[in-house]
Amino acid sequence: MLLNRWPNETPNGGCDVNVEYELQNRNFVLKDVQIMVPLSDSGQIPVIGKFDGDYQFDNRKTTLIWTLPVVDQTNSEGALEFTILGKSVDFFPIQVDFIAETSYCDIK
């Protein structure tokens, strides 16, 4: 799965962030995908724009958790867009967790 993140800092101290995924190997089926994006410590709740799947804001960890039940050939790409106060460096590192039905390296 290819994951891209594009932050765009705005003149008012905010940042428009676009996170996209693309399943490059269409033979994989990924389940219970969680993409965790760290946020700035501004105390602000992110304003969500477009999104696929579902999301939740973990205020304690200042993290936006984007969840997708299944990523497969029928759901091979998607996006999450949000706005929040902060700088582009605030949104690293992104953590991705999932369960795969097959081994990535085809190890038996």
Side-chain angles (χ1 to χ4, degrees), residues 44-60:
Q44 183 185 28
I45 295 173
V47 176
I48 306 298
K50 173 186 162 188
F51 68 95
D52 296 297
D54 202 3
Y55 68 90
Q56 67 183 34
F57 172 61
D58 186 336
N59 190 34
R60 187 174 47 87

Side-chain angles (χ1 to χ4, degrees), residues 3 5 14 28-29 33 41 49 74 78-79 82 84 86 88-89 92-93 100 107:
L3 189 64
R5 176 211 61 118
F28 279 137
V29 175
V33 178
D41 291 328
T74 63
F82 65 92
I84 192 168
S88 61
V89 297
F92 276 115
I107 297 174

Side-chain angles (χ1 to χ4, degrees), residues 1-4 20-24 26 71 76-78:
M1 181 164 77
L2 176 66
L3 189 64
N4 287 307
E20 295 180 349
Y21 75 86
E22 179 183 351
L23 184 65
Q24 296 195 314
R26 303 290 171 106
V71 174
S76 63
E77 54 188 49

Side-chain angles (χ1 to χ4, degrees), residues 2-3 6-7 9 11 24 27 33-34 46 48 55 58 63 66 69 72 94 98-100 105 108:
L2 176 66
L3 189 64
W6 291 284
E9 292 183 21
Q24 296 195 314
N27 294 325
V33 178
Q34 287 192 338
I48 306 298
Y55 68 90
D58 186 336
T63 302
W66 181 20
D72 61 12
I94 291 178
F98 59 85
I99 298 170
C105 299
K108 297 184 191 255

